[in-house]
Amino acid sequence: MSDELAWLDRAVDLAVDNVRRSGGPFGAVVVRDGVVLGEGTNRVTADLDPTAHAEVVAIRAACRDAGEFALPGATVYASCEPCPLCLSALLWARLDAVVFAADRHAAAAAGFDDAAFHRLFDASPGAPWPLRREHHPTARADEPFDAWRATASRVPY
């Protein structure tokens, strides 16, 4: 069996075990150079945290273990295709790749339909969102960025 299949099997095992413990059916493993940096399962209902998706939990664990906020050279192996939240987290963590077993259609068939979120991100600018989005520029709006630029010890990301 290839390493990728083994890592995908691990992600699926995590997801199945999480269901047995009343969690969501999602698991993820972050791997770099053949070493597991972090694992995660869906903790949304257990932690009352809508951002605690398996990929995000795995990235958090991997970053803590690696002692860094970016994970270049790493791959996430996920039991299911990442939703837009998780894709964004993968991008911010500077991961090289994501490999997944089930796709978004299998998730939808099980009641986890994030197609509306995928469509939002695929939509043209100005398309209606279910979330009100307003830009109210204030006189102080740039102060945080000015403070950031003026701080010599800042860590770029």
Side-chain angles (χ1 to χ4, degrees):
M1 179 171 12
S2 77
D3 286 346
E4 284 200 337
L5 288 178
W7 297 125
L8 285 172
D9 279 347
R10 177 64 184 150
V12 169
D13 288 343
L14 288 167
V16 170
D17 185 56
N18 200 48
V19 170
R20 288 186 187 121
R21 293 180 289 116
S22 302
F26 302 97
V29 182
V30 179
V31 178
R32 182 166 54 193
D33 299 325
V35 176
V36 174
L37 297 180
E39 295 182 335
T41 57
N42 182 283
R43 304 279 309 156
V44 170
T45 57
D47 293 350
L48 304 177
D49 179 355
T51 68
H53 292 201
E55 296 89 340
V56 174
V57 171
I59 290 168
R60 289 173 181 161
C63 287
R64 280 190 306 270
D65 184 62
E68 52 191 296
F69 62 85
L71 301 167
T75 297
V76 167
Y77 294 92
S79 62
C80 187
E81 181 178 2
C83 71
L85 168 80
C86 295
L87 287 172
S88 296
L90 294 164
L91 290 168
W92 275 111
R94 310 297 198 265
L95 288 143
D96 282 10
V98 60
V99 179
F100 54 91
D103 65 14
R104 67 179 80 171
H105 306 292
F112 295 90
D113 191 0
D114 57 8
F117 300 134
H118 282 284
R119 280 193 302 275
L120 281 175
F121 286 96
D122 292 340
S124 61
W129 280 45
L131 172 71
R132 183 172 48 117
R133 297 181 301 153
E134 295 181 13
H135 178 210
H136 291 280
T138 68
R140 299 187 59 218
D142 288 334
E143 283 184 25
F145 300 115
D146 294 340
W148 170 257
R149 284 187 288 268
T151 302
S153 63
R154 70 181 180 269
V155 177
Y157 63 97

